[in-house]
Amino acid sequence: QVQLAESGGGLVQPGGSLSLSCVVSGSISSINAMGWYRQVQGKERELVANIISPGPTTYADSVKGRFTISRDNAKNSVDLHMNSLKPEDTAVYYCNVRGYSGGFQTFWGQGIEVTVSS
């Protein structure tokens, strides 16, 4: 069984910073992609940022220059550092991992809320 444990969400004022962390545990190996998506109620889930190994790091245009994604292979974790937050960044953020667990599969975290408001 594969588990994704997300942490770090909460309420922050516009212009502030917040970091999200996702730790992957369980029977998974050969993780070739780790990332973060977000979803606003009534809208489709969208990519925020991901790291593909080997391959590029991808950011949504709306977060380029403000968000940074980083991966720690030793800890099987992926972090999202968010700066200059805007009210439109308010969403539920989901950790996403693709790796081998009885076959290559994609796994999702339960989601963590980020609210940007004064």
Side-chain angles (χ1 to χ4, degrees), residues 5-69:
E6 300 153 327
S7 62
L11 172 65
V12 63
Q13 291 188 342
S17 299
L18 204 61
S19 291
L20 305 180
S21 182
C22 174
V23 179
V24 183
S25 62
S27 302
I28 186 170
S29 61
S30 303
I31 295 175
N32 59 12
M34 302 183 84
W36 290 91
Y37 287 68
R38 67 187 181 188
Q39 188 169 21
V40 176
Q41 192 172 7
K43 295 188 177 182
E44 291 187 359
R45 193 172 297 185
E46 63 175 6
L47 172 69
V48 177
N50 70 353
I51 299 176
I52 298 174
S53 301
T57 298
T58 302
Y59 292 93
D61 288 342
S62 59
V63 307
K64 283 180 182 177
R66 300 188 298 122
F67 290 13
T68 302
I69 189 170

Side-chain angles (χ1 to χ4, degrees), residues 1-6 21-29 31 33-35 72-78 95-99 107:
Q1 189 173 4
V2 178
Q3 294 182 331
L4 279 62
E6 300 153 327
S21 182
C22 174
V23 179
V24 183
S25 62
S27 302
I28 186 170
S29 61
I31 295 175
M34 302 183 84
D72 188 329
N73 291 330
K75 296 180 181 179
N76 258 4
S77 65
V78 58
C95 179
N96 171 280
V97 170
R98 178 169 175 79
F107 299 91

Side-chain angles (χ1 to χ4, degrees), residues 10-18 82-87 89-90 114-118:
L11 172 65
V12 63
Q13 291 188 342
S17 299
L18 204 61
M82 304 181 290
N83 296 318
S84 303
L85 283 160
K86 305 175 181 180
D89 294 317
T90 296
V114 172
T115 302
V116 184
S117 175
S118 55

